[in-house]
Structures are given as structure tokens and as C-alpha cells.
Amino acid sequence: MGESFFTDVDEPTEEEKEHLIEDLQNSRNFANFPKDVVRQLIMYSDVIEYPKDAEILTQGQVSNTALFLMSGTVQILQDDQEILKLRRTGDLLDEISFINHQPCPITVKVWTEPAKIISVANKYLQSIGPVFDEIIRQMLIGKLHLTIQKAKRLVVLTEHLSQRQSHLRLFQTTADQSLDRIMFLDPYGKVLYANRAFLQMTEYTEKDVIGKHYMKLRQADYPDELYENIHAIIVEGNQFRGVSEYQSPTMGNIYETLTVTPIMEGDTINHYVAIAQNITAKEEKRKKEAEDLKYGIEFQRRMFGDIPKVSYLSCSELQLPHSGVSGDIRHASINEKDIFYFFYGDATGHGVKAALITAIVCNALNGITQENTSDQILLDLNEILADSLPEDNFTTGFFLKIKPNGELEYANAGHSVIFLIRTDQSSFELIGKEPAVPLGLFPSDFIKSYPLGKTTLYPGDRLFFYTDGVTEAQNRNQEMFGEERLELFLQNNRNYDGNNILSNLEKELYEYRNGADQIDDISACIIQYGES
């Protein structure tokens, strides 16, 4: 110890000595010693104050004093590397060098503020030898106990770290085998890890990537707006999800979903994980399906055609397909005698399969002699469909004829009833109520006949057709719209024209579903005879 690094404190007064004794007795190291034992130690001690950064002991020095820390904080260094800090009153600074009279294996240095040390010189130890021996023995036992406890905690920590390392190796192995591109970033956006798929797709090496900011690894065809959007979202602790498209020099046009997730600890972002999944095959398939669907919609539109203009009729339609193409059927024609023929039906299911049935039905209707009665036309149609449709596939159907003089002839094959809204009546007539088998399930010689009905239309009378997609529309509680609500709706809207009635029906169904999915094709049609 060089004297230039410390200043001796003046000889303590009796009152100050009592304070020192009290401070030591309140410390963990001296708590078990009687007051007179601590008093003897203080009597033969010097109290020394060391300034900040002063070396109390130097590595390699042989100490001839016992040093106890009273206040402040000291660093314990070995080969200029800090091992630990001591800041507890009564800590013995270097028992090894003092007891064994060997070179001190450590350096003891004052840290951030002056430190007060009690120094007991060798020449005084004979006077308090037994007392000092007991103090040292108890302190070594205490340190040994603490060392054992630390060793136990170290074993637990080592096992925990080993387990974490095992989990980390498992994660890295899994990530490297993933076909998705995966990156881990630090809070500042620098890459800590990139998996094998990322390196293969981008043709970077690991050296090119690790430690680089992710903005420097951006895809050339990614727009600036995308990166700005990602940054604005994730720095607020929110997850970014999006679909991007770019041109790969080796793989052509690439589509991928991109997810960037902040890893939070409390309110602090510790890391980010970015995952890019190649969905090029799915996207190309989706585009092809969309193109096919677009073709199917156009084909079906041309197949149904427009309802022929008839001088004595006006028609309005509502069509809301479930998935682009519809399984609801509408076929209309007019002959040279100005007789109007109309078929309205609903094929099994919805989507492409149901749309194919509509094509078969329309094609069959085009080949049937419509001079027959409506019930016979349904029998002829059923015979064709029974031979044409796959097993368990069918369609409902309502067929009618309207003559210029208002004569109406009809037959129903399992379809919903038709509302006849008379201009001079407050209630509705329901036509086609008789039960009948849908078309295509059984041969016509098994069915024998369909019920035939006749009535007369008067100017202003209207026929309301619909498919079960209307009455079976469901709300969030899976409750159906139902026939009672439909009848009430028609009653409340009977004074509107056909176009407004159907427009209001669309709004009514939308509001009733209240965000629930449309589960079937929805169609409705109004045919009005003459002027109201």
C-alpha cells in the first residue's frame, strides 16, 4: 500500500469508537460477536480513508495487515479484470494473503466514492490473537457457507442455461429446415440470425447478413412504401402482416406473405422476428381459379340471357350468388303467339357444381316442346335430368305460361311457393302449394305427374319468385330469415315497383345477417302483368 493513496483518519474519539463498534455489530459479518470482542478489535485498529480509484491492495503484494471494509465500495480485480464488488460493512478484503503470508492474488481498488477501511497491523495481533482467530474463523465459515450457496445456485443456473442452449439448438435446427424465410433482429433492426432458406433465396452468405441492418438486405423490387409501412407498425409494438410481390433473378415472379412480430418484455421491444412464406404456387392457382370463375360467370350470364321483352309484362330480378357462379336457375322465352314461358329453380348446393346443373337444365329446356302443358313439360325435363345428373343431385323447379289475355298455367316440382300479389287484395295468394318431387331424383314413370294449376292475372297483379337462399339467410345467432318475415316484408313494400321491392329486400337481408356469412345463393324475381 502506498501512503500517497490514502490519508489516516485522526485518532477516533470514544464516541466515534462506539459508533464504529455499533456499525460492525450491525453488519452480517460481526453480528454473532459480543460487543467486548468487537471493542478489542477497534482498540488495535487504524481507521483509514482511501480516495476514489486508490489501490488498497495490489496483486502480488504480501499483506501484513487485516483489512475490513467499513463504508464505500471496492472492486476486486485479477489481471485487471473485475471479479466482483464489495460494499458490505465488515467484509474482510484479503484473508488468503494475510493468513498464509503469500503474495496477494488480487487487486483491491476503491470504486466510485471514498472508502473507509479498518486496518489491524500484524504487531497488534498477539494482543488480540484468540479474538482475531475467532473472528477470522467465523468469517471464513460464513464465506464458505455463502460460497456453497452460490455454487448450488450456479449449478442450477448452469443446468438452466444448458437447457436453454438445447432449446436454442433445437429451434435453429427447426428454423434451418423450414422452407419459410426467417430472420431475428435486434431492437435496432440489425440481423442476429437468418435461416438457410433466407440465404438460399436471397443468395447472401451468413457473413453478408449477420450484423447488417435489414433495410440493407431489402428486395430490390419491394417498394419504399412497404418498408415505411412495416417500420411505422412494428416500432409501436404491433405485428405487421402483408402480401408482397417481387421479381427474383433466378425464380421469376415471387409472391409471399410477410409477417414481422415485435418480441416484447413488458412495454419494451427486445427483438423482432420476420417470417416470409412463399405462396407463389397458391397465388398462381388462385389467379387461375379467379380467371376460370370469371369465365364461368360470363358463360352463365350468356346462358340465362336477358328476360325477353313482352308488351304485357315487366320483370325485375335480384341475383346474389354465393361464390361468383350461381346454382339458382332462371330460363325465359316467348313463342310466335306471344306466350311467355318461364322456369325458376334451385339446384343442389352452390358454387361450380350447382352451376353445372343449371347449364344442364337450361340446355334441356331449350330442347323440350313447350306447346305441352306445364306439368308435362316438367315431366319431360325430369326424364332428361334423371338420366343426366349424378346420383343425389337434383333441382327444384317452377314452370309457368302466361298468355297475353292474362291466363296463367303453372306446375311446381318441389320449389318454394310463389306469392301472387293482387292489386285489389290486401292478402297474398300462394300458388304451387301442392307437394311434389324435385327434378332429377327419380324417373318420370315413377313420379307419374306434377300438379297442374291455373288462374287469371289482372292488370297490376304481380308474381314474386324466390329461392330458399332468401328464407334460409341466417343472422349471427344462426336464426333463419324465414317465410313469415318474407311475407311481412312483401306486405310492407307492396306499394313499391318491382325494382324497388328487390332493392329493399337486398338491404333487408343484409341488415338481418348483421355480418354473418351468406351461406347460399340468393335470388328473387318479380313479374308484373299489365299496368297497375
Side-chain angles (χ1 to χ4, degrees), residues 145-164:
H145 177 72
L146 289 174
T147 302
I148 291 171
Q149 293 302 315
K150 288 180 179 178
K152 288 180 179 179
R153 289 198 296 270
L154 183 60
V155 168
V156 173
L157 181 60
T158 302
E159 290 176 350
H160 179 67
L161 288 175
S162 177
Q163 192 176 47
R164 291 286 297 273

Side-chain angles (χ1 to χ4, degrees), residues 220-235:
D221 290 343
Y222 272 18
D224 292 340
E225 295 79 10
L226 175 64
Y227 282 93
E228 291 170 3
N229 190 24
I230 292 173
H231 182 76
I233 291 173
I234 63 176
V235 295

Side-chain angles (χ1 to χ4, degrees), residues 24-34:
L24 278 178
Q25 277 205 296
N26 289 334
S27 69
R28 183 185 299 178
N29 290 329
F30 286 85
N32 296 327
F33 292 104

Side-chain angles (χ1 to χ4, degrees), residues 249-451:
T250 57
M251 301 178 65
N253 212 35
I254 300 295
Y255 295 90
E256 39 182 42
T257 57
L258 181 61
T259 305
V260 185
T261 306
I263 307 300
M264 310 286 292
E265 184 172 335
D267 295 330
T268 304
I269 298 174
N270 282 346
H271 298 89
Y272 298 100
V273 58
I275 301 176
Q277 183 182 38
N278 190 327
I279 57 167
T280 304
K282 290 181 181 178
E283 184 65 16
E284 289 177 349
K285 181 181 178 183
R286 186 196 66 78
K287 283 189 172 183
K288 186 178 184 306
E289 289 174 348
E291 189 65 28
D292 291 345
L293 182 61
K294 181 180 177 182
Y295 175 80
I297 293 170
E298 177 61 19
F299 174 82
Q300 195 170 58
R301 187 190 69 77
R302 290 173 177 267
M303 178 183 69
F304 290 155
D306 295 326
I307 296 178
K309 294 189 180 301
V310 184
S311 60
Y312 56 90
L313 297 175
S314 59
C315 302
S316 304
E317 285 190 282
L318 170 67
Q319 291 182 337
L320 302 173
H322 173 270
S323 50
V325 289
S326 177
D328 293 344
I329 310 165
R330 190 266 298 148
H331 186 276
S333 62
I334 188 170
N335 71 3
E336 65 280 359
K337 297 179 182 179
D338 217 18
I339 298 175
F340 180 72
Y341 301 94
F342 190 75
F343 177 88
Y344 211 73
D346 185 359
T348 316
H350 50 74
V352 174
K353 185 185 86 167
L356 291 174
I357 296 177
T358 68
I360 295 173
V361 172
C362 288
N363 185 59
L365 284 168
N366 289 332
I368 291 175
T369 302
Q370 296 185 343
E371 298 301 323
N372 291 329
T373 58
S374 297
D375 58 332
Q376 184 59 48
I377 289 173
L378 286 184
L379 280 173
D380 293 343
L381 178 59
N382 178 76
E383 192 66 28
I384 295 171
L385 296 181
D387 291 336
S388 304
L389 296 182
E391 188 176 356
D392 296 328
N393 286 267
F394 61 89
T395 181
T396 64
F398 194 104
F399 189 89
L400 61 79
K401 297 180 183 181
I402 302 176
K403 293 182 179 180
N405 63 2
E407 290 183 17
L408 170 65
E409 176 192 280
Y410 61 86
N412 189 5
H415 194 72
S416 306
V417 296
I418 306 305
F419 286 85
L420 174 52
I421 307 172
R422 299 284 192 183
T423 56
D424 59 350
Q425 296 179 11
S426 59
S427 60
F428 304 126
E429 293 180 27
L430 301 179
I431 63 175
K433 294 185 293 184
E434 299 82 359
V437 178
L439 302 165
L441 281 175
F442 306 105
S444 291
D445 56 1
F446 175 82
I447 295 174
K448 304 298 185 186
S449 67
Y450 285 100

Side-chain angles (χ1 to χ4, degrees), residues 87 100-101 405 465 471 476:
R87 53 174 59 88
N100 298 330
H101 301 287
N405 63 2
F465 300 80
T471 52
R476 288 181 176 272

